[in-house]
């Protein structure tokens, strides 16, 4: 699937890394949240794709 959540995961990893390097706990937390958001978007997209495939089998 095209980019559903991938950008959020990458952005989150970058924020978390910057937060770790600078000691900014808030930035690290934002990074983790962005990663979780990206994973959720991917899961929703995968579920939709699976449901569409099942529907199209009929």
């Amino acid at each position: 699937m095209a980019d559903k959540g991938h950008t959020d995961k990458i952005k989150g990893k970058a924020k978390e890394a910057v937060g770790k390097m600078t000691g900014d706990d808030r930035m690290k937390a934002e990074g983790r949240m962005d990663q979780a958001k990206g994973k959720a978007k991917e899961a929703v997209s995968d579920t939709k794709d699976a449901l569409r495939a099942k529907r199209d089998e009929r």
Side-chain angles (χ1 to χ4, degrees), residues 2-51:
D3 193 45
K4 298 287 189 204
H6 187 71
T7 304
D8 288 321
K9 286 173 53 178
I10 291 172
K11 181 175 69 171
K13 286 181 183 187
K15 278 185 178 180
E16 186 176 6
V18 169
K20 284 180 181 179
M21 287 189 299
T22 61
D24 186 344
D25 291 335
R26 185 176 184 160
M27 180 75 74
K28 285 193 296 189
E30 285 180 17
R32 287 189 208 109
M33 288 298 295
D34 286 343
Q35 290 178 63
K37 185 168 111 178
K39 288 178 185 177
K41 282 183 181 180
E42 285 180 342
V44 168
S45 178
D46 290 346
T47 301
K48 284 181 181 179
D49 289 344
L51 290 172

